């Protein structure tokens, strides 16, 4: 067996791509990258079992970019993703890795975006198309997307596409691609329908599954904090403030991120140093010695630089960026709890990384318990206690005669009481770390989510995702990008703003929202299922799946409850959207009883092997005995 690949240079990628990797600051290929890139470069088909957060996007984007013929401006690579959010992210990743490939063009194609814009870009010529199945099918039917020059297809998050009812669409699209092509299929799990797709469309695929060795890390308490990317720094400073720490080791993914985070902590009053592979050996050793000797309390490191680090006073390991594999996690947290001491490991996870969290939990065979970033009140309480303790310690340990004399002088000269003088001194001492914090300026952690909720990611958003940061952090939203009921856009004219905010909040809490019932011209006889209806509407109308209410499937039509106020443009668009090749031809039936925002979508339940409650999402369209016997609204058909 050849030794494991530990450097990008070993991967036979071309110089422009190696240059990019240097610039983005990736230190080493993640395991999935090391395993996949050689196969894809060699033109093989591939099945990769990988979660989000493992670096799988680069695992396919880098080799496929390398195989492009930039002079040929017809789509050579097609990536299918379950959601538009992911389509945008993947397209951004391609763009960023192709920064030294002149003339490179990538186009994300997804429902809800202007068709004419997409057509304009397609006409101009693109090398890579990244899209959701529905919109790709639209273009193929209209013959506005030609796949004759296609060389590679990637099915990204195939199990999500299955869960959202897109797998037949994927099959249909693959049928329309040239016979001679490379196919790479990525999926976190490999249920039977995905295996069938692989069997039908992949030829002698190489299989890559990153083995997760398990290891118990008994002396380390593990916690996780769910927080969006833009609130991580705030959450970190709060954690640093209230945790009883000795030395803290913070892990990030890239060299650039290490330097940046150390600087940002420094600017916030936490002296820190970076440790990464671009530093000279001497400087690295010096930094580690400082940490060991207590001259430095916070070090921000990359995985490679911290390999084997043995500093006993590390009380806390903070996984600021989630590691790309479980081995890295186990290694990271093993830097604390050394020499029999207790250690603390805190992991920051974005909502879309929750699945990775469960994988890590399994690998460490220990629960990783949720924690909230400390609140303002907790920080204020902590500061006050520390302040009081400092005074007591000083009174106990210091000779204060001279200062007592100074205070006495002020008292006499100014006729001011000792209490007032002490208050002024306390103010001066705590000016930079106020003991009273303004209310209402909380960091915005996302609500701890269950894994299955986190998976409910059909939610498109009404704003584009943040661009990837230079540090290499993934594009991510802070809170779940709740595109609220479409009422926001249609505007409840009486009080649009107030209403939309309220509605948004109520819906987030799982409270009621007002709905309109719609009729769809697809039913059992067309093969419609709740999953593919939810998937089509979520992606094409920009409605988060939990706002998609009761679905009743009849023989030749279905009904669905959607938030009131759908804009005309989306309504018209949904008429043309297809499920199992049949247009929805949506029409309005009238207001319905209020719905509760669903915590878990039916598709989630389905994927968990549970039956959807029949009254809510019935295949037969009949309610259960004992509840109202007929749908509430009469149909005017
Ligand atoms: P993905 O699993 O593709 O969503 O990637 C997760 C995150 O890891 C993204 O922010 C990437 O920019 C980052 N990333 C990918 N490959 C590497 C690498 N080799 N080293 C460090 N970060 C990486």
């Amino acid at each position: 067996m050849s030794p494991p690949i530990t450097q990008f240079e070993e991967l036979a990628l071309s110089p422009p791509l190696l240059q990019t990797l240097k610039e983005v600051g990736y230190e080493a290929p993640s395991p999935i990258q090391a395993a996949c890139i050689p196969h894809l470069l060699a033109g093989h088909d591939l099945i990769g079992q990988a979660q989000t957060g493992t670096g799988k996007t680069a695992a396919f984007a880098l080799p496929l970019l390398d195989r492009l013929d930039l002079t040929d401006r017809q789509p050579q690579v097609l990536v299918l993703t379950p959601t538009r959010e992911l389509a945008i992210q993947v397209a951004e990743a391609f763009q960023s890795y192709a920064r030294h490939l002149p003339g490179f063009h990538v186009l994300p194609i997804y429902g809800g975006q202007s068709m004419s814009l997409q057509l304009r870009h397609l006409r101009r010529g693109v090398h890579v198309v990244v899209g959701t199945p529905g919109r790709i099918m639209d273009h193929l039917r209209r013959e506005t997307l030609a796949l004759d020059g296609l060389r590679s297809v990637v099915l990204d998050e195939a199990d999500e596409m299955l869960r959202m009812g897109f797998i037949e669409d994927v099959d249909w699209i693959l049928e329309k691609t040239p016979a001679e092509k490379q196919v790479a299929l990525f999926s976190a799990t490999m249920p039977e329908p995905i295996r069938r797709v692989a069997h039908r469309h992949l030829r002698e695929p190489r299989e890559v599954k990153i083995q997760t060795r398990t290891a118990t890390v008994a002396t380390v308490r593990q916690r996780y904090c769910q927080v969006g990317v833009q609130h991580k720094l705030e959450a970190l400073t709060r954690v640093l403030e209230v945790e009883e720490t000795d030395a803290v080791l913070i892990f990030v993914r890239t060299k650039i991120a290490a330097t940046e985070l150390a600087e940002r902590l420094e600017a916030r009053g936490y002296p820190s140093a970076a440790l990464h592979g671009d530093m000279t050996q001497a400087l690295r050793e010096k930094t580690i010695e400082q940490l060991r000797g207590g001259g430095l309390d916070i070090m921000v490191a990359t995985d490679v630089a911290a390999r084997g680090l043995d500093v006993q006073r590390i009380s806390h390991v903070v996984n600021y960026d989630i590691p790309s594999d479980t081995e890295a996690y186990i290694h990271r947290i093993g830097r604390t709890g050394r020499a029999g001491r207790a250690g603390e490991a805190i992991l920051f996870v974005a909502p879309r990384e929750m699945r990775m969290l469960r994988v890590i939990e399994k690998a460490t065979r220990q629960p990783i318990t949720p924690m909230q970033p400390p609140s303002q009140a907790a920080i204020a309480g902590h500061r006050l206690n520390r302040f009081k303790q400092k005074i007591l310690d000083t009174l106990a340990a210091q000779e204060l005669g001279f200062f007592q004399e100074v205070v006495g002088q002020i008292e006499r000269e100014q006729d001011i009481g000792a209490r007032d003088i002490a208050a002024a001194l306390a103010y001066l001492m705590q000016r930079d770390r106020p003991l009273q914090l303004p209310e209402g300026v909380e960091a915005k952690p996302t609500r701890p989510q269950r894994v299955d909720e986190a998976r409910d990611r059909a939610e498109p958003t009404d704003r584009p995702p943040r661009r990837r940061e230079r540090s290499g952090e993934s594009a991510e939203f802070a809170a779940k990008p709740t595109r609220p009921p479409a009422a926001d856009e249609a505007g409840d004219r009486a009080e649009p703003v107030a209403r939309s905010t309220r509605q948004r909040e109520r819906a987030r809490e799982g409270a009621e929202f007002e709905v309109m019932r719609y009729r769809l011209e697809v039913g059992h006889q067309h093969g419609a299922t709740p999953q593919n209806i939810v998937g089509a509407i979520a992606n094409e109308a920009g409605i988060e799946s939990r706002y998609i209410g009761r679905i009743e499937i009849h023989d030749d039509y279905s009904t669905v409850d959607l938030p009131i106020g759908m804009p005309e443009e989306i309504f018209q668009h949904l008429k043309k959207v297809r499920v199992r090749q049949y247009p929805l031809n949506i029409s309005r039936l009238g207001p319905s009883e209020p719905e509760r925002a669903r915590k878990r979508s039916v598709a989630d339940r389905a994927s968990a092997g549970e039956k959807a409650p029949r009254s809510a999402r019935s295949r037969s369209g009949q309610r259960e005995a004992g509840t109202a016997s007929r749908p509430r609204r009469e149909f005017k058909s």
Side-chain angles (χ1 to χ4, degrees), residues 396-457:
Q398 298 294 329
E399 174 46 62
L400 297 172
F402 170 75
F403 294 100
Q404 282 165 347
E405 190 48 45
V406 173
V407 172
Q409 262 179 28
I410 302 173
E411 271 188 297
R412 284 190 302 277
E413 287 167 8
Q414 306 296 333
D415 195 19
I416 304 173
R419 188 172 148 154
D420 286 340
I421 298 169
L425 292 171
Y427 166 78
L428 288 175
M429 189 173 153
Q430 290 298 131
R431 199 161 35 180
D432 296 333
R433 300 230 148 172
L435 299 175
Q436 287 175 303
L437 295 170
E439 276 180 25
V441 200
E442 292 294 333
K444 293 193 189 62
T446 51
R447 173 177 62 89
Q449 259 179 329
R450 293 165 39 164
V451 177
D452 47 6
E453 280 180 60
R455 266 194 283 137
D456 186 11
R457 285 196 280 110

Side-chain angles (χ1 to χ4, degrees), residues 484 498-511 547:
R499 183 188 173 76
S500 72
T501 313
R502 234 188 7 248
Q503 221 169 14
R504 208 182 286 250
E505 278 163 6
R506 275 192 289 149
R508 243 188 221 145
E509 296 310 313
Y547 292 112

Side-chain angles (χ1 to χ4, degrees), residues 8 25-30 33 51-58 89 97 253-254 324 352-353 468 472-475:
F8 281 111
Y26 294 174
E27 274 203 318
S30 69
Q33 291 163 358
Q51 321 276 339
T52 289
T54 51
K56 72 176 156 57
T57 315
Q89 254 175 46
Y97 298 136
R253 282 201 166 200
T254 66
S324 56
R352 62 187 288 268
E353 294 163 339
R468 278 167 192 248
E473 286 171 329
S474 61

Side-chain angles (χ1 to χ4, degrees), residues 609-624:
E610 294 171 28
K611 277 209 174 102
R614 287 171 63 207
S615 61
R617 299 272 169 99
S618 155
R619 267 196 80 83
S620 67
Q622 298 298 309
R623 285 186 170 219
E624 278 178 313

